Amino acid sequence: MTDEQIIRLFREGKREKAFGKLYGQWPKINRLIRQQGGNRDDAKDIFQEALIVLYNRLESQDFILTGSLNGFIYQTSRNLYLKKTKKDSLSPVSTLDNEYVGEWAEEETHAHTQTGLAEKALEKLAEKCREILQFFYMEKRSMEWIAERLGLKSEQAAKTQKYKCLEVARNEYQILLGKEDLV
Amino acid sequence: MRNELEYLAEIESYVLGNMRDKASFEQKMASSTQLQQDVMMLKGLIQGIKVQALRSEVQSVQQSYFITKTVSWIGVAVVATAIVLGLIYQMVNKSDADPNASNKPTENTIHQSATSPQKSVAMIDTSVVLSTKKSQVDKQPVRKQVPIAPEKEIDKPTTAIDVPEELYQPKYPIADSALPYQYYQLAGNKNEVIETPSGIIFSIPRNSFMDAAGNKIDDAYQLQIKEAIQFSDIMKAGLSTWSANELLETSGMFFFNAIKDGKDLRISPDANITVSIPKLQAANDMQLFDGVRKTNGEIDWVNPQPQIQYLQTVSMNQLDFYPPAFEKILNEFSGIPTPDIRMDRQIRDSVIAQDKVSKAYADSVYLSFAEDIGKEKKKLQETNNVTGAKNKNTWRRGGVRRDYLGFFIHLFARRPKVDKYQRGVNPITVLSFWRTEFNGTILATRAFEERMKNIHYTCNEDVLRCYTDNMDKTIQYCDSLAASKLTGVSKENFLRFYEQKLTLRPIDSTSTTPELMALFAQKQQELNELFKRTSLATLEKIEQENQEANRRTAEHNSQESQRLRYNNSLVGLSRLPAFPWPVLPVSPVATRNYNTFRVSSPGWKNADAIRLEQMMQARTFKVRVDSASKFDILEAYLIPDGQLSFIRMTRNGNEFTYIANNPADYKLAVVGYQQEMPFTYSQSNASSGNNIKASLSPSSEQEIKDFVSAGASQKLSDDILAELDFLSFKANDAKKATVRKGIENLRMILLPYVFPCSQQAKLPPEKRKEQEKRIVSSAAVR
């Protein structure tokens, strides 16, 4: 499947299928992380993160495909791993096998690590809260739909609930950010 | 708490881009660090929510990936083990084999074959007609005409199939007479194609029929047709689906006959009439049987003929060879708003027909893109018309000059750089073969239509040439040629076409190929010339118009400055109660005189003169024009009695004002142009102070001229007439510029569709949509 076809799948909302196609890259990434001294679980985590980074990038408005998707995943995985092990600053792209030459993989890696704290804050939320937020922000569902799905009284109730959840998450996030600053 | 939630809601609406008054929020944000932080945090949280959701999706994909991998490895291992065990088992068994063992598989085979008829019977129960006929026809593809059998001799089939009674019992022997005739008036000297209501297509070449004496029919004749395509129609009409004793699976029945002057015609031996019947069944072994009327009135079906294997062609009129989406976008944007709504209507009236654009119009728009492919372009020095500002950066593309509005669009819309020349399929080539003369060639097929879409995406005209230069070859041959010229995804696409193995030829395509090739070349040349001629003529016309506009503007400006100087001098002079008014314009450079005073104390001094009496004479004229916005051009003039110059009032929206410092009487004339139609309002002795309400009414240019020049001196009258001429010219120029702008906007939107390899086409769809919106909205807002 070509890059264009995979991108089309993402755009059509067939994310799982698209990710499935990209999993063809797994052996290569596994090898890469092993070479860098990581184990299989590291490779799994890193590959997962790289796919998320790629998706975020594809979703951004100014996205133009300048290299190959595989190249992007490879470079992002490498950067993520290096960042994780704090071995080095982000690696140069020159060592790559001609597949991908570009800089956005690096920018994305950095941006991605910033969302880690927000995720931690969200983990403190109750399951129902997380559901509301995901339905609304990720799946772009209407409040009416959400209210019905979660058995809330009305659309307004769902809305209030959503803001309350957001408020809790914000407070948690603020605490985490403060801790980060202290470190 | 409530406030807190509202605060969050506000930030959220900003982050999600739903906020209406974004600017004031941003202003607020600029002054509040807390708000900035909160916005950042919410953005971070939303991103976090998305990432969380994505992570769980990716995890589930990961899981299923590893499970599939594991399962497939286990599968491989199991198969390998089974093979090894099987081999071992065989080797072990071989040594002590039973002599009768070899019979076992045979028994098994017999058993299976014994069960198969049962299976097929079970299946036949639900689809009796299909299976029975199929097996019989397969065995006896060609049947001789059988003697007509009396009704009672028709037996039930000997198979154990339960056939419904009505299928084989001819209850209504001449019931087909109940079917109505359809009549078609055709011309003998033309190739005719007709499609019946049920979708049967008769293709009748010219001179296909002859009369009883053997003379070919060269003029009008009639075709009688009866049809029974649906099974229910066949049943109702009592038509049998029996051929002698065999049951047929029918795809439809029809009767056709040609008549002239009430007499039946015969088909010429060399005629090549074809009939295409809609496929109701999946079967590919359909044959055409002749109907023979039996003595009892019933029809028997005899003499089956196989289908002809020709490439199915359609009329060029039904095909679409424009670049994909070209027509859709053209339809969508043909009413693209130009500077304002009334101009929009103007464009529609002048260039566009109704809701859906006509083929001729679409062709002409498409053809206009030929220039973007051209080799040489005449550089046109951009000049401005009267309505535009000076602009050296004006860019142009295509044969139409960009006017001032284009410049603003260019400036503010931040359009991406337009490639100077486009790489792609030349519209001239496409329009040269997209003609009914090419009906019946491989180009007039749905298959080629599909290929053409891909050809546009290759942006390579050589690929198109593979087909147009080989009209006598098969489509598959052209596909292979095309694939050889391409690389990457395009190559794969054409290889896939090649795999379709379209090796059939259209009927009679080869005999006319040289003629058609010549016609193709000729049409290309003609279109090229037409295009060059038209674009050159357009460019020249525009250049002439620009020059004329410049000349007239310069002339007008010089007259105007002279007039202003004169009016200014009057204002200065009016401060002195001196009469009569000077008869000639006075130079604004006056010799310097001095007022000399004696000073006897220190401090501020003021040299002044008391002008109360004269200042009292200053009068304000105010004119309010009804529905001023509907006029393209609107001016109000005050014409003083006994003076040499007129005054153009200052416009502010629908209001015109002038402060007069002299005691003259004024005539008021308001002139407006709406789509070049003049409208006027006049008042002989305009009163100052109160608002004058001017409601303009349609008028002729002569009426305006007569009114303003009545009683005026020759010079004033000439000046006013020149001014009015200029106004009318300006109105005309504005209209032309708007029409051009509309067309040019449309072209800008269409460009990426016509040239899929252009820079604009490479923009992601949403960016392109944005750009289209920008073009439309920038044209709508002036």
Side-chain angles (χ1 to χ4, degrees), chain A residues 15 23 26 40 44 48-49 55-56 115 118-119 122 130 137 162-163 167 170, chain B residues 4 8-9 12 38 41 44 47 49 51-52 54-55 57-59 62 66:
Chain A
R15 283 194 298 270
Y23 252 93
W26 159 253
R40 189 179 157 89
K44 276 185 181 176
Q48 218 178 77
E49 294 306 302
Y55 177 80
N56 282 334
T115 54
E119 276 190 90
L122 291 162
R130 276 211 295 271
Y137 293 108
K162 184 193 83 183
Y163 284 126
E167 178 67 15
R170 188 179 68 143
Chain B
E4 219 18 44
L8 260 182
E12 184 198 46
D38 286 340
M41 274 204 296
Q47 186 58 22
I49 293 163
V51 168
Q52 257 190 349
L54 280 174
R55 180 162 291 117
E57 268 177 30
V58 174
Q59 267 165 357
Q62 193 178 53
F66 287 119

mmCIF file of all heavy atoms in Angstrom, chain A residues 15 23 26 40 44 48-49 55-56 115 118-119 122 130 137 162-163 167 170, chain B residues 4 8-9 12 38 41 44 47 49 51-52 54-55 57-59 62 66:
data_model
loop_
_atom_site.group_PDB
_atom_site.id
_atom_site.type_symbol
_atom_site.label_atom_id
_atom_site.label_comp_id
_atom_site.label_asym_id
_atom_site.label_seq_id
_atom_site.Cartn_x
_atom_site.Cartn_y
_atom_site.Cartn_z
ATOM 1 N N ARG A 15 -8.644 4.737 10.929
ATOM 2 C CA ARG A 15 -7.343 4.792 11.585
ATOM 3 C C ARG A 15 -6.774 3.410 11.848
ATOM 4 O O ARG A 15 -5.601 3.161 11.591
ATOM 5 C CB ARG A 15 -7.474 5.552 12.901
ATOM 6 C CG ARG A 15 -7.560 7.048 12.732
ATOM 7 C CD ARG A 15 -7.352 7.721 14.072
ATOM 8 N NE ARG A 15 -8.388 7.342 15.021
ATOM 9 C CZ ARG A 15 -9.536 8.006 15.164
ATOM 10 N NH1 ARG A 15 -9.771 9.069 14.437
ATOM 11 N NH2 ARG A 15 -10.431 7.629 16.037
ATOM 12 N N TYR A 23 2.023 -1.209 10.574
ATOM 13 C CA TYR A 23 2.704 -2.178 11.419
ATOM 14 C C TYR A 23 3.670 -3.050 10.645
ATOM 15 O O TYR A 23 4.489 -3.753 11.226
ATOM 16 C CB TYR A 23 1.695 -3.012 12.230
ATOM 17 C CG TYR A 23 1.736 -2.603 13.670
ATOM 18 C CD1 TYR A 23 0.879 -1.638 14.146
ATOM 19 C CD2 TYR A 23 2.714 -3.097 14.530
ATOM 20 C CE1 TYR A 23 0.966 -1.178 15.448
ATOM 21 C CE2 TYR A 23 2.814 -2.646 15.832
ATOM 22 C CZ TYR A 23 1.945 -1.685 16.296
ATOM 23 O OH TYR A 23 2.048 -1.243 17.580
ATOM 24 N N TRP A 26 7.180 -2.823 11.725
ATOM 25 C CA TRP A 26 7.600 -3.293 13.048
ATOM 26 C C TRP A 26 8.975 -3.973 13.048
ATOM 27 O O TRP A 26 9.833 -3.606 13.857
ATOM 28 C CB TRP A 26 6.519 -4.182 13.657
ATOM 29 C CG TRP A 26 7.026 -5.079 14.730
ATOM 30 C CD1 TRP A 26 7.221 -6.420 14.662
ATOM 31 C CD2 TRP A 26 7.473 -4.679 16.032
ATOM 32 N NE1 TRP A 26 7.742 -6.897 15.818
ATOM 33 C CE2 TRP A 26 7.918 -5.836 16.688
ATOM 34 C CE3 TRP A 26 7.554 -3.468 16.700
ATOM 35 C CZ2 TRP A 26 8.428 -5.824 17.981
ATOM 36 C CZ3 TRP A 26 8.067 -3.446 17.999
ATOM 37 C CH2 TRP A 26 8.492 -4.612 18.622
ATOM 38 N N ARG A 40 12.706 -5.698 23.453
ATOM 39 C CA ARG A 40 11.503 -5.810 22.630
ATOM 40 C C ARG A 40 10.373 -4.907 23.156
ATOM 41 O O ARG A 40 9.657 -4.286 22.379
ATOM 42 C CB ARG A 40 11.051 -7.274 22.622
ATOM 43 C CG ARG A 40 9.954 -7.586 21.641
ATOM 44 C CD ARG A 40 9.624 -9.062 21.727
ATOM 45 N NE ARG A 40 8.281 -9.315 21.247
ATOM 46 C CZ ARG A 40 7.964 -9.565 19.986
ATOM 47 N NH1 ARG A 40 8.917 -9.578 19.069
ATOM 48 N NH2 ARG A 40 6.721 -9.779 19.631
ATOM 49 N N LYS A 44 8.375 -1.931 21.289
ATOM 50 C CA LYS A 44 6.910 -1.849 21.162
ATOM 51 C C LYS A 44 6.418 -0.466 21.554
ATOM 52 O O LYS A 44 5.617 0.143 20.853
ATOM 53 C CB LYS A 44 6.243 -2.897 22.065
ATOM 54 C CG LYS A 44 6.142 -4.269 21.446
ATOM 55 C CD LYS A 44 5.350 -5.148 22.401
ATOM 56 C CE LYS A 44 5.211 -6.554 21.881
ATOM 57 N NZ LYS A 44 4.541 -7.422 22.846
ATOM 58 N N GLN A 48 4.867 2.397 19.035
ATOM 59 C CA GLN A 48 3.518 2.919 19.316
ATOM 60 C C GLN A 48 3.513 4.458 19.334
ATOM 61 O O GLN A 48 2.674 5.106 18.719
ATOM 62 C CB GLN A 48 3.142 2.420 20.706
ATOM 63 C CG GLN A 48 1.716 2.037 20.859
ATOM 64 C CD GLN A 48 1.514 1.525 22.275
ATOM 65 O OE1 GLN A 48 1.436 2.301 23.213
ATOM 66 N NE2 GLN A 48 1.454 0.213 22.424
ATOM 67 N N GLU A 49 4.507 4.989 20.059
ATOM 68 C CA GLU A 49 4.591 6.449 20.167
ATOM 69 C C GLU A 49 4.845 7.076 18.796
ATOM 70 O O GLU A 49 4.260 8.095 18.449
ATOM 71 C CB GLU A 49 5.732 6.860 21.119
ATOM 72 C CG GLU A 49 5.511 6.455 22.556
ATOM 73 C CD GLU A 49 4.191 6.950 23.092
ATOM 74 O OE1 GLU A 49 3.963 8.163 23.078
ATOM 75 O OE2 GLU A 49 3.365 6.114 23.525
ATOM 76 N N TYR A 55 0.524 10.334 13.337
ATOM 77 C CA TYR A 55 -0.884 10.697 13.154
ATOM 78 C C TYR A 55 -1.114 12.184 13.443
ATOM 79 O O TYR A 55 -1.788 12.876 12.696
ATOM 80 C CB TYR A 55 -1.775 9.842 14.068
ATOM 81 C CG TYR A 55 -3.220 10.238 13.967
ATOM 82 C CD1 TYR A 55 -4.003 9.783 12.907
ATOM 83 C CD2 TYR A 55 -3.795 11.112 14.883
ATOM 84 C CE1 TYR A 55 -5.321 10.174 12.781
ATOM 85 C CE2 TYR A 55 -5.105 11.510 14.761
ATOM 86 C CZ TYR A 55 -5.867 11.033 13.712
ATOM 87 O OH TYR A 55 -7.169 11.424 13.580
ATOM 88 N N ASN A 56 -0.515 12.637 14.531
ATOM 89 C CA ASN A 56 -0.676 14.058 14.878
ATOM 90 C C ASN A 56 -0.164 14.944 13.765
ATOM 91 O O ASN A 56 -0.742 15.978 13.456
ATOM 92 C CB ASN A 56 0.074 14.383 16.165
ATOM 93 C CG ASN A 56 -0.708 13.900 17.366
ATOM 94 O OD1 ASN A 56 -1.924 13.778 17.304
ATOM 95 N ND2 ASN A 56 -0.017 13.599 18.439
ATOM 96 N N THR A 115 3.139 16.419 25.609
ATOM 97 C CA THR A 115 1.779 15.967 25.924
ATOM 98 C C THR A 115 1.769 14.899 27.005
ATOM 99 O O THR A 115 0.718 14.560 27.539
ATOM 100 C CB THR A 115 1.064 15.401 24.682
ATOM 101 O OG1 THR A 115 1.888 14.390 24.141
ATOM 102 C CG2 THR A 115 0.800 16.466 23.645
ATOM 103 N N ALA A 118 0.178 16.113 30.203
ATOM 104 C CA ALA A 118 -1.276 16.250 30.081
ATOM 105 C C ALA A 118 -1.921 14.881 30.216
ATOM 106 O O ALA A 118 -2.955 14.723 30.880
ATOM 107 C CB ALA A 118 -1.618 16.875 28.744
ATOM 108 N N GLU A 119 -1.291 13.891 29.619
ATOM 109 C CA GLU A 119 -1.841 12.539 29.711
ATOM 110 C C GLU A 119 -1.874 12.045 31.150
ATOM 111 O O GLU A 119 -2.834 11.418 31.589
ATOM 112 C CB GLU A 119 -0.983 11.591 28.874
ATOM 113 C CG GLU A 119 -1.367 11.594 27.419
ATOM 114 C CD GLU A 119 -0.668 10.474 26.707
ATOM 115 O OE1 GLU A 119 -1.234 9.369 26.655
ATOM 116 O OE2 GLU A 119 0.461 10.682 26.248
ATOM 117 N N LEU A 122 -4.701 13.530 32.883
ATOM 118 C CA LEU A 122 -5.970 12.927 32.468
ATOM 119 C C LEU A 122 -6.182 11.565 33.116
ATOM 120 O O LEU A 122 -7.311 11.138 33.336
ATOM 121 C CB LEU A 122 -6.025 12.804 30.944
ATOM 122 C CG LEU A 122 -6.138 14.134 30.208
ATOM 123 C CD1 LEU A 122 -5.750 13.989 28.755
ATOM 124 C CD2 LEU A 122 -7.566 14.676 30.303
ATOM 125 N N ARG A 130 -13.142 10.655 31.355
ATOM 126 C CA ARG A 130 -12.259 10.424 30.200
ATOM 127 C C ARG A 130 -13.072 10.129 28.950
ATOM 128 O O ARG A 130 -12.779 10.579 27.863
ATOM 129 C CB ARG A 130 -11.297 9.278 30.486
ATOM 130 C CG ARG A 130 -10.062 9.725 31.258
ATOM 131 C CD ARG A 130 -8.865 8.858 30.879
ATOM 132 N NE ARG A 130 -9.071 7.485 31.292
ATOM 133 C CZ ARG A 130 -8.706 7.018 32.503
ATOM 134 N NH1 ARG A 130 -8.149 7.828 33.375
ATOM 135 N NH2 ARG A 130 -8.896 5.775 32.819
ATOM 136 N N TYR A 137 -13.726 15.485 22.096
ATOM 137 C CA TYR A 137 -12.566 16.079 21.422
ATOM 138 C C TYR A 137 -11.967 15.184 20.336
ATOM 139 O O TYR A 137 -11.441 15.659 19.355
ATOM 140 C CB TYR A 137 -11.482 16.444 22.431
ATOM 141 C CG TYR A 137 -11.897 17.563 23.345
ATOM 142 C CD1 TYR A 137 -12.195 17.342 24.675
ATOM 143 C CD2 TYR A 137 -12.007 18.858 22.853
ATOM 144 C CE1 TYR A 137 -12.599 18.380 25.506
ATOM 145 C CE2 TYR A 137 -12.410 19.904 23.681
ATOM 146 C CZ TYR A 137 -12.708 19.654 25.002
ATOM 147 O OH TYR A 137 -13.111 20.674 25.810
ATOM 148 N N LYS A 162 -18.854 17.818 31.295
ATOM 149 C CA LYS A 162 -17.615 17.898 30.515
ATOM 150 C C LYS A 162 -16.713 18.996 31.075
ATOM 151 O O LYS A 162 -15.520 18.790 31.273
ATOM 152 C CB LYS A 162 -17.948 18.203 29.042
ATOM 153 C CG LYS A 162 -16.729 18.203 28.155
ATOM 154 C CD LYS A 162 -17.005 18.789 26.798
ATOM 155 C CE LYS A 162 -16.908 20.286 26.855
ATOM 156 N NZ LYS A 162 -17.227 20.959 25.614
ATOM 157 N N TYR A 163 -17.305 20.168 31.362
ATOM 158 C CA TYR A 163 -16.491 21.269 31.870
ATOM 159 C C TYR A 163 -15.938 20.962 33.265
ATOM 160 O O TYR A 163 -14.817 21.326 33.580
ATOM 161 C CB TYR A 163 -17.292 22.577 31.886
ATOM 162 C CG TYR A 163 -17.429 23.152 30.502
ATOM 163 C CD1 TYR A 163 -18.666 23.456 29.974
ATOM 164 C CD2 TYR A 163 -16.297 23.364 29.713
ATOM 165 C CE1 TYR A 163 -18.792 23.963 28.701
ATOM 166 C CE2 TYR A 163 -16.418 23.875 28.435
ATOM 167 C CZ TYR A 163 -17.665 24.173 27.931
ATOM 168 O OH TYR A 163 -17.773 24.672 26.680
ATOM 169 N N GLU A 167 -12.110 20.859 34.226
ATOM 170 C CA GLU A 167 -11.626 21.685 35.332
ATOM 171 C C GLU A 167 -10.696 20.857 36.231
ATOM 172 O O GLU A 167 -9.608 21.293 36.596
ATOM 173 C CB GLU A 167 -12.851 22.203 36.112
ATOM 174 C CG GLU A 167 -12.556 23.044 37.311
ATOM 175 C CD GLU A 167 -11.926 24.382 36.963
ATOM 176 O OE1 GLU A 167 -11.983 24.761 35.783
ATOM 177 O OE2 GLU A 167 -11.352 25.024 37.848
ATOM 178 N N ARG A 170 -7.529 20.190 34.457
ATOM 179 C CA ARG A 170 -6.701 21.399 34.383
ATOM 180 C C ARG A 170 -5.933 21.589 35.695
ATOM 181 O O ARG A 170 -4.734 21.873 35.695
ATOM 182 C CB ARG A 170 -7.573 22.620 34.107
ATOM 183 C CG ARG A 170 -6.749 23.845 33.828
ATOM 184 C CD ARG A 170 -7.636 25.019 33.530
ATOM 185 N NE ARG A 170 -8.378 25.431 34.721
ATOM 186 C CZ ARG A 170 -8.657 26.695 35.025
ATOM 187 N NH1 ARG A 170 -8.263 27.655 34.211
ATOM 188 N NH2 ARG A 170 -9.339 27.005 36.095
ATOM 189 N N GLU B 4 -16.361 29.840 36.740
ATOM 190 C CA GLU B 4 -15.196 29.065 36.334
ATOM 191 C C GLU B 4 -15.513 28.275 35.057
ATOM 192 O O GLU B 4 -14.723 28.236 34.120
ATOM 193 C CB GLU B 4 -14.915 28.094 37.481
ATOM 194 C CG GLU B 4 -13.529 27.746 37.928
ATOM 195 C CD GLU B 4 -12.371 28.630 37.531
ATOM 196 O OE1 GLU B 4 -12.424 29.880 37.580
ATOM 197 O OE2 GLU B 4 -11.365 28.044 37.155
ATOM 198 N N LEU B 8 -13.960 28.555 31.335
ATOM 199 C CA LEU B 8 -13.414 27.426 30.577
ATOM 200 C C LEU B 8 -14.061 27.321 29.196
ATOM 201 O O LEU B 8 -13.404 27.063 28.195
ATOM 202 C CB LEU B 8 -13.672 26.128 31.343
ATOM 203 C CG LEU B 8 -12.510 25.572 32.158
ATOM 204 C CD1 LEU B 8 -12.936 24.272 32.802
ATOM 205 C CD2 LEU B 8 -11.298 25.327 31.272
ATOM 206 N N ALA B 9 -15.387 27.527 29.192
ATOM 207 C CA ALA B 9 -16.124 27.421 27.934
ATOM 208 C C ALA B 9 -15.612 28.442 26.926
ATOM 209 O O ALA B 9 -15.478 28.164 25.730
ATOM 210 C CB ALA B 9 -17.610 27.635 28.177
ATOM 211 N N GLU B 12 -12.276 27.331 25.680
ATOM 212 C CA GLU B 12 -12.456 26.184 24.782
ATOM 213 C C GLU B 12 -12.914 26.639 23.407
ATOM 214 O O GLU B 12 -12.412 26.175 22.378
ATOM 215 C CB GLU B 12 -13.488 25.229 25.371
ATOM 216 C CG GLU B 12 -13.652 23.981 24.534
ATOM 217 C CD GLU B 12 -14.934 23.264 24.865
ATOM 218 O OE1 GLU B 12 -15.991 23.928 24.963
ATOM 219 O OE2 GLU B 12 -14.894 22.035 25.026
ATOM 220 N N ASP B 38 -3.734 29.492 30.665
ATOM 221 C CA ASP B 38 -4.909 28.621 30.624
ATOM 222 C C ASP B 38 -5.199 28.133 29.213
ATOM 223 O O ASP B 38 -5.597 26.985 29.005
ATOM 224 C CB ASP B 38 -6.123 29.353 31.218
ATOM 225 C CG ASP B 38 -6.008 29.439 32.737
ATOM 226 O OD1 ASP B 38 -5.236 28.643 33.305
ATOM 227 O OD2 ASP B 38 -6.662 30.312 33.327
ATOM 228 N N MET B 41 -2.733 25.499 28.498
ATOM 229 C CA MET B 41 -3.033 24.268 29.219
ATOM 230 C C MET B 41 -4.171 23.500 28.559
ATOM 231 O O MET B 41 -4.119 22.292 28.415
ATOM 232 C CB MET B 41 -3.378 24.590 30.670
ATOM 233 C CG MET B 41 -2.134 24.680 31.525
ATOM 234 S SD MET B 41 -2.474 24.362 33.245
ATOM 235 C CE MET B 41 -3.518 25.680 33.668
ATOM 236 N N GLY B 44 -2.973 21.804 25.584
ATOM 237 C CA GLY B 44 -2.202 20.618 25.984
ATOM 238 C C GLY B 44 -3.120 19.478 26.389
ATOM 239 O O GLY B 44 -2.912 18.328 26.002
ATOM 240 N N GLN B 47 -4.853 17.913 23.427
ATOM 241 C CA GLN B 47 -3.880 17.073 22.723
ATOM 242 C C GLN B 47 -3.702 15.765 23.484
ATOM 243 O O GLN B 47 -3.647 14.690 22.910
ATOM 244 C CB GLN B 47 -2.564 17.855 22.594
ATOM 245 C CG GLN B 47 -1.495 17.183 21.756
ATOM 246 C CD GLN B 47 -1.976 16.893 20.337
ATOM 247 O OE1 GLN B 47 -2.909 17.523 19.843
ATOM 248 N NE2 GLN B 47 -1.365 15.920 19.698
ATOM 249 N N ILE B 49 -5.824 14.293 25.429
ATOM 250 C CA ILE B 49 -7.027 13.448 25.265
ATOM 251 C C ILE B 49 -6.929 12.670 23.958
ATOM 252 O O ILE B 49 -7.179 11.463 23.902
ATOM 253 C CB ILE B 49 -8.300 14.326 25.266
ATOM 254 C CG1 ILE B 49 -8.500 14.942 26.644
ATOM 255 C CG2 ILE B 49 -9.510 13.528 24.842
ATOM 256 C CD1 ILE B 49 -9.464 16.116 26.661
ATOM 257 N N VAL B 51 -4.222 11.965 22.245
ATOM 258 C CA VAL B 51 -3.135 10.983 22.287
ATOM 259 C C VAL B 51 -3.559 9.755 23.078
ATOM 260 O O VAL B 51 -3.277 8.619 22.680
ATOM 261 C CB VAL B 51 -1.856 11.628 22.868
ATOM 262 C CG1 VAL B 51 -0.811 10.577 23.188
ATOM 263 C CG2 VAL B 51 -1.297 12.642 21.886
ATOM 264 N N GLN B 52 -4.284 9.963 24.167
ATOM 265 C CA GLN B 52 -4.758 8.826 24.958
ATOM 266 C C GLN B 52 -5.624 7.897 24.123
ATOM 267 O O GLN B 52 -5.449 6.687 24.135
ATOM 268 C CB GLN B 52 -5.599 9.346 26.128
ATOM 269 C CG GLN B 52 -4.859 9.325 27.428
ATOM 270 C CD GLN B 52 -5.782 9.613 28.592
ATOM 271 O OE1 GLN B 52 -6.937 10.020 28.417
ATOM 272 N NE2 GLN B 52 -5.270 9.419 29.785
ATOM 273 N N LEU B 54 -5.693 7.698 20.898
ATOM 274 C CA LEU B 54 -4.894 7.072 19.847
ATOM 275 C C LEU B 54 -4.088 5.900 20.403
ATOM 276 O O LEU B 54 -3.970 4.860 19.783
ATOM 277 C CB LEU B 54 -3.914 8.092 19.265
ATOM 278 C CG LEU B 54 -4.478 9.058 18.251
ATOM 279 C CD1 LEU B 54 -3.436 10.090 17.892
ATOM 280 C CD2 LEU B 54 -4.905 8.316 16.988
ATOM 281 N N ARG B 55 -3.581 6.124 21.611
ATOM 282 C CA ARG B 55 -2.739 5.079 22.193
ATOM 283 C C ARG B 55 -3.529 3.789 22.340
ATOM 284 O O ARG B 55 -3.043 2.717 22.011
ATOM 285 C CB ARG B 55 -2.180 5.544 23.528
ATOM 286 C CG ARG B 55 -1.291 4.491 24.166
ATOM 287 C CD ARG B 55 -0.389 5.028 25.243
ATOM 288 N NE ARG B 55 0.640 5.882 24.686
ATOM 289 C CZ ARG B 55 0.780 7.170 24.950
ATOM 290 N NH1 ARG B 55 -0.075 7.751 25.758
ATOM 291 N NH2 ARG B 55 1.748 7.880 24.416
ATOM 292 N N GLU B 57 -6.035 2.858 20.609
ATOM 293 C CA GLU B 57 -6.263 2.289 19.267
ATOM 294 C C GLU B 57 -5.022 1.560 18.780
ATOM 295 O O GLU B 57 -5.081 0.435 18.294
ATOM 296 C CB GLU B 57 -6.594 3.408 18.274
ATOM 297 C CG GLU B 57 -8.068 3.671 18.151
ATOM 298 C CD GLU B 57 -8.393 4.829 17.229
ATOM 299 O OE1 GLU B 57 -7.626 5.082 16.282
ATOM 300 O OE2 GLU B 57 -9.419 5.490 17.461
ATOM 301 N N VAL B 58 -3.878 2.256 18.913
ATOM 302 C CA VAL B 58 -2.637 1.651 18.427
ATOM 303 C C VAL B 58 -2.342 0.373 19.196
ATOM 304 O O VAL B 58 -1.900 -0.619 18.627
ATOM 305 C CB VAL B 58 -1.467 2.658 18.535
ATOM 306 C CG1 VAL B 58 -0.157 1.997 18.182
ATOM 307 C CG2 VAL B 58 -1.703 3.841 17.627
ATOM 308 N N GLN B 59 -2.643 0.384 20.505
ATOM 309 C CA GLN B 59 -2.389 -0.819 21.303
ATOM 310 C C GLN B 59 -3.210 -1.995 20.792
ATOM 311 O O GLN B 59 -2.703 -3.112 20.689
ATOM 312 C CB GLN B 59 -2.715 -0.554 22.768
ATOM 313 C CG GLN B 59 -1.485 -0.103 23.526
ATOM 314 C CD GLN B 59 -1.814 0.502 24.871
ATOM 315 O OE1 GLN B 59 -2.991 0.646 25.230
ATOM 316 N NE2 GLN B 59 -0.780 0.875 25.608
ATOM 317 N N GLN B 62 -1.716 -3.196 17.711
ATOM 318 C CA GLN B 62 -0.483 -3.920 18.018
ATOM 319 C C GLN B 62 -0.787 -5.349 18.465
ATOM 320 O O GLN B 62 -0.188 -6.303 17.994
ATOM 321 C CB GLN B 62 0.250 -3.173 19.131
ATOM 322 C CG GLN B 62 1.670 -3.635 19.328
ATOM 323 C CD GLN B 62 2.349 -2.823 20.422
ATOM 324 O OE1 GLN B 62 1.836 -2.708 21.530
ATOM 325 N NE2 GLN B 62 3.493 -2.247 20.101
ATOM 326 N N PHE B 66 0.369 -8.825 16.609
ATOM 327 C CA PHE B 66 1.196 -9.897 17.165
ATOM 328 C C PHE B 66 0.441 -11.212 17.220
ATOM 329 O O PHE B 66 1.014 -12.268 16.996
ATOM 330 C CB PHE B 66 1.734 -9.499 18.541
ATOM 331 C CG PHE B 66 2.826 -8.455 18.439
ATOM 332 C CD1 PHE B 66 2.693 -7.212 19.007
ATOM 333 C CD2 PHE B 66 3.985 -8.735 17.715
ATOM 334 C CE1 PHE B 66 3.689 -6.247 18.883
ATOM 335 C CE2 PHE B 66 4.983 -7.771 17.585
ATOM 336 C CZ PHE B 66 4.844 -6.523 18.167
#
